[in-house]
Amino acid sequence: MVTKPAISELEETLTTAFSERRSPLRAITSRVDPNDAEDLLQDAALRAIETERRTPVQKPLHLLRRILRNLAVDHLRSRARTTRVFHPAEAPDIACERVGPERQLVASERLHRAFAIIDSMPHRRREVFLLHRIDELTHLQIARRLGISTKTVEKHVSLAMVQLSREIDRE
């Protein structure tokens, strides 16, 4: 013979509230979407039962109403915050700007090819190019540092750019 576990006064009150006082409880959630209102009511009941297990509850129906009201207010605040941050009707139709794994792989491969091309350049061309692009020195600063003319610096930078752009997409 299977015996039913004894139900607490709170569980009995909740059962009564769900069947007989559903309309007044639903009135608390009147500003909430009807689909969410039922979920909030069930969440409130569960929280009331959990509270009663920890400490004795003097007025179970009052506790249920208070929990339900707090849940409804939290729900409305959350929805308002979400609407303020992101309103679907006003959202621009843009793609995600995060780079996908395929594009990352392609970019990584291009970078490795660029390094290989730079490494294969003649010594002086590579040196001038790196001073200009990496160290961000002006043509005059590079010319003074290496003891060459600014025209020679311009020529090396130009040749390095041509070589890089020609060879980077090869393959």
Side-chain angles (χ1 to χ4, degrees), residues 62-93:
H62 178 71
L63 174 67
L64 179 64
R65 284 187 191 126
R66 174 167 282 198
I67 292 172
L68 185 58
R69 185 177 60 241
N70 289 343
L71 286 173
V73 168
D74 289 346
H75 180 78
L76 291 170
R77 283 181 183 159
S78 174
R79 192 175 72 192
R81 194 175 322 113
T82 302
T83 303
R84 236 187 349 240
V85 172
F86 177 73
H87 192 279
E90 298 172 1
D93 190 21

Side-chain angles (χ1 to χ4, degrees), residues 87-158:
H87 192 279
E90 298 172 1
D93 190 21
I94 57 172
C96 177
E97 292 183 16
R98 189 181 328 161
V99 177
E102 295 157 1
R103 287 186 60 192
Q104 275 184 321
L105 180 62
V106 169
S108 176
E109 288 173 355
R110 281 181 61 97
L111 183 62
H112 287 300
R113 279 199 308 268
F115 284 142
I117 294 165
I118 292 168
D119 285 342
S120 71
M121 290 178 183
H123 174 70
R124 181 64 84 179
R125 185 182 305 167
R126 179 178 61 246
E127 185 178 22
V128 170
F129 179 74
L130 293 175
L131 285 172
H132 180 64
R133 294 299 235 176
I134 304 300
D135 295 337
E136 298 179 344
L137 297 179
T138 65
H139 290 183
L140 182 60
Q141 291 171 324
I142 296 169
R144 287 185 180 154
R145 179 180 282 187
L146 299 179
I148 57 177
S149 70
T150 55
K151 283 283 186 199
T152 305
V153 170
E154 290 171 7
K155 181 183 109 186
H156 282 302
V157 170
S158 175

Side-chain angles (χ1 to χ4, degrees), residues 38-50:
E38 189 63 33
D39 291 340
L40 291 178
L41 189 56
Q42 291 175 10
D43 285 348
L46 288 173
R47 289 182 185 199
I49 291 171
E50 290 171 3

